Amino acid sequence: MATTDNFYSRLVAWMKIILPLTALGLLSTLFLISRHIDPTKSIPIAEIDLEQRAQDQGATNAAFAGVTRGGDEVMVTADTARPSPENPRLINAEDVTATMQLVSGTVVTVTSDRGNMDQSDLDASLIGNVNIETTTGYKVTTERLDARLDVLHAETPGPISGVGPPGDLKAGRMVLTGDEETGQAHLVFTDGVKLVYTPQPPEDIDQ
């Protein structure tokens, strides 16, 4: 019995030496056969043009809201908006929708392909396929509409065409202004106005 215990004790003692040496040998082998790593080589990452990213900074589904001195509410939304590289205070926007809720109750909605808004001068320009629609029955198209953001004032530097309660119309220029005292809005067509009058159908009279 003593002989067996003595053998077992010596076996355990040898295992305590052999097992750590074996583990150390395996680890050394792993390091030797692993891929050589060059510490001077940069970590593989996606190539990003930081300068381009800085130029492309902006926002999607951007919105701007304000109130004119006369109390008219203005809301401008755009699919994308970013500052101009030349002038950070100039915002360039794509797919723009502007809604003006006038004090008189009239709502003017304008859509365009793109737009520019100057935060210093508080003005904006809507450019490309500009469509103007009012709740008073006017639907007008033009290529550019320049507007103020602090007062009710918008005008087209070029010709317009559209329809309204009187009929089909064309003009060289259109101006939308507001009277700050009365709150009334005035839509004026100038520079060679052509109007094709469309008689309104008579209302049904109950017999």
Side-chain angles (χ1 to χ4, degrees):
M1 184 67 178
T3 304
T4 303
D5 292 341
N6 189 30
F7 174 77
Y8 179 76
S9 299
R10 284 186 293 175
L11 177 62
V12 171
W14 277 106
M15 293 300 290
K16 288 181 179 180
I17 298 173
I18 294 173
L19 289 178
L21 289 176
T22 303
L24 182 61
L26 291 175
L27 289 175
S28 301
T29 304
L30 289 175
F31 280 112
L32 289 173
I33 64 175
S34 64
R35 181 173 60 89
H36 175 67
I37 299 176
D38 185 357
T40 63
K41 188 176 181 180
S42 60
I43 299 174
I45 59 175
E47 295 183 1
I48 300 174
D49 190 337
L50 297 180
E51 182 177 355
Q52 184 65 34
R53 280 294 183 88
Q55 293 179 356
D56 291 343
Q57 62 178 323
T60 57
N61 299 321
F64 167 83
V67 179
T68 67
R69 290 200 297 262
D72 305 299
E73 299 177 5
V74 180
M75 169 69 78
V76 181
T77 61
D79 281 2
T80 59
R82 58 177 57 89
S84 169
E86 293 79 16
N87 181 6
R89 297 190 66 83
L90 181 64
I91 304 299
N92 299 326
E94 302 289 336
D95 294 327
V96 181
T97 299
T99 304
M100 292 175 278
Q101 176 72 56
L102 309 185
V103 173
S104 61
T106 301
V107 178
V108 181
T109 304
V110 186
T111 61
S112 67
D113 291 342
R114 61 189 187 279
N116 304 320
M117 185 178 69
D118 193 319
Q119 301 178 80
S120 300
D121 297 334
L122 292 178
D123 58 22
S125 296
L126 304 180
I127 307 166
N129 294 318
V130 180
N131 292 276
I132 307 164
E133 186 172 350
T134 73
T135 53
T136 55
Y138 285 92
K139 294 182 180 180
V140 176
T141 60
T142 186
E143 279 303 306
R144 181 181 179 119
L145 179 71
D146 297 326
R148 297 285 304 173
L149 300 175
D150 53 345
V151 296
L152 179 58
H153 184 91
E155 62 179 273
T156 65
I160 63 93
S161 62
V163 297
D168 298 338
L169 60 90
K170 292 183 179 180
R173 185 166 172 259
M174 183 193 77
V175 180
L176 172 66
T177 58
D179 190 322
E180 294 187 9
E181 294 183 359
T182 64
Q184 295 297 315
H186 304 283
L187 187 61
V188 180
F189 299 95
T190 62
D191 297 350
V193 179
K194 296 181 180 180
L195 173 64
V196 178
Y197 176 69
T198 303
Q200 298 298 316
E203 296 181 357
D204 293 336
I205 301 177
D206 295 334
Q207 301 293 333

